[in-house]
Amino acid sequence: MTEPARWQGRSTPFGMERDPSRLVAFSDAVIAIAVTLLVLEIRPPQDTRHLADGLAALWPSYLAYAVTFMLIGQVWANHHVMFDQIRVADRMVLFLNTVLLMDIAFLPFAASVLAQAFRDGHGQRAAVVLHGLTFGLAAVLFNAIWGHVRRHRRLLATTIDLAGAKALGRRFRLALTWIATGTVLGALFPPLGVAVIAMFIPFYWLPIRGETARDRT
């Protein structure tokens, strides 16, 4: 019995083209593990005689957890938005997505470093820069994936037109600029850098104009 034509791969300069559903499922699993590991970095106070004070002193851990969780949530949401518009994935898409997942898996460590630096009062600049660079790399990889599939339009779904593709591209480029700005400011004044990166959260939950056919009518 032969495989249905729509599932059959096709040889290209970037390798075999594949249905991206397994890539998306694997990405969901890695992202789910990453956000779960974030909470494990919050250590309960050892001195239970002053538990309230100990819990209050963990505010940097709560902040790092909340900001990083919501940013990873945005990565997950925008990853789905992007791959909703990708019909098939070639080897380059597989490679870039793997590097993206490697970066996401590093985020619990970056969040832990950020929390520890603010708790200790030392190294905040380096911690904010590390946190920002890690998210900045994710933004670079989003742009690389989307740029690749736009250059090779056979990879794109037929449901997205040029205007929609440009709208997604603008959103991803803005993310790169926004995070880079927060990272640079964090190297100068760490609380401001964290605040700028955190401001990224509400904006990026907004829908993207041109993302759907309804938006383009």
Side-chain angles (χ1 to χ4, degrees), residues 106-160:
F106 186 78
L107 281 167
F109 172 75
S112 178
V113 170
L114 183 68
Q116 188 67 43
F118 275 88
R119 275 199 306 271
D120 295 344
H122 305 288
Q124 294 101 326
R125 288 183 174 85
V128 174
V129 168
L130 175 66
H131 195 261
L133 286 176
T134 307
F135 273 108
L137 178 57
V140 168
L141 291 163
F142 263 84
N143 280 278
I145 294 170
W146 191 243
H148 175 71
V149 298
R150 284 190 65 188
R151 285 192 301 273
H152 303 276
R153 288 195 59 84
R154 68 180 185 281
L155 304 177
L156 283 174
T158 58
T159 53
I160 187 168

Side-chain angles (χ1 to χ4, degrees), residues 45-60 62 119:
Q46 295 183 351
D47 184 6
T48 55
R49 291 174 300 176
H50 305 91
L51 186 58
D53 291 339
L55 290 171
L58 290 174
W59 69 265
Y62 307 144
R119 275 199 306 271

Side-chain angles (χ1 to χ4, degrees), residues 1-202:
M1 183 175 177
T2 59
E3 192 177 26
R6 69 187 183 92
W7 296 105
Q8 290 176 351
R10 186 160 64 102
S11 180
T12 73
F14 294 98
M16 192 72 70
E17 293 177 351
R18 296 171 173 84
D19 182 274
S21 57
R22 289 185 62 189
L23 178 152
V24 172
F26 177 59
S27 301
D28 286 349
V30 172
I31 293 170
I33 293 169
V35 295
T36 302
L37 290 176
L38 285 173
V39 75
L40 299 180
E41 298 299 328
I42 304 177
R43 303 281 191 257
Q46 295 183 351
D47 184 6
T48 55
R49 291 174 300 176
H50 305 91
L51 186 58
D53 291 339
L55 290 171
L58 290 174
W59 69 265
S61 294
Y62 307 144
L63 177 63
Y65 168 79
V67 170
T68 308
F69 194 108
M70 293 303 296
L71 286 170
I72 293 177
Q74 287 184 336
V75 169
W76 171 78
N78 284 287
H79 190 270
H80 274 273
V81 168
M82 179 167 62
F83 275 90
D84 283 347
Q85 310 300 343
I86 296 177
R87 181 179 61 84
V88 289
D90 62 9
R91 192 170 293 275
M92 181 60 72
V93 172
L94 295 179
F95 170 75
L96 292 172
N97 193 75
T98 299
V99 179
L100 174 63
L101 296 180
M102 182 174 67
D103 180 67
I104 292 169
F106 186 78
L107 281 167
F109 172 75
S112 178
V113 170
L114 183 68
Q116 188 67 43
F118 275 88
R119 275 199 306 271
D120 295 344
H122 305 288
Q124 294 101 326
R125 288 183 174 85
V128 174
V129 168
L130 175 66
H131 195 261
L133 286 176
T134 307
F135 273 108
L137 178 57
V140 168
L141 291 163
F142 263 84
N143 280 278
I145 294 170
W146 191 243
H148 175 71
V149 298
R150 284 190 65 188
R151 285 192 301 273
H152 303 276
R153 288 195 59 84
R154 68 180 185 281
L155 304 177
L156 283 174
T158 58
T159 53
I160 187 168
D161 60 12
L162 183 60
K166 286 183 176 179
L168 284 173
R170 283 194 299 270
R171 175 67 67 95
F172 296 151
R173 288 193 300 274
L174 179 59
L176 184 58
T177 303
W178 197 319
I179 294 173
T181 300
T183 302
V184 171
L185 292 174
L188 302 173
F189 185 60
L192 178 60
V194 173
V196 170
I197 293 173
M199 288 168 58
F200 180 81
I201 295 170

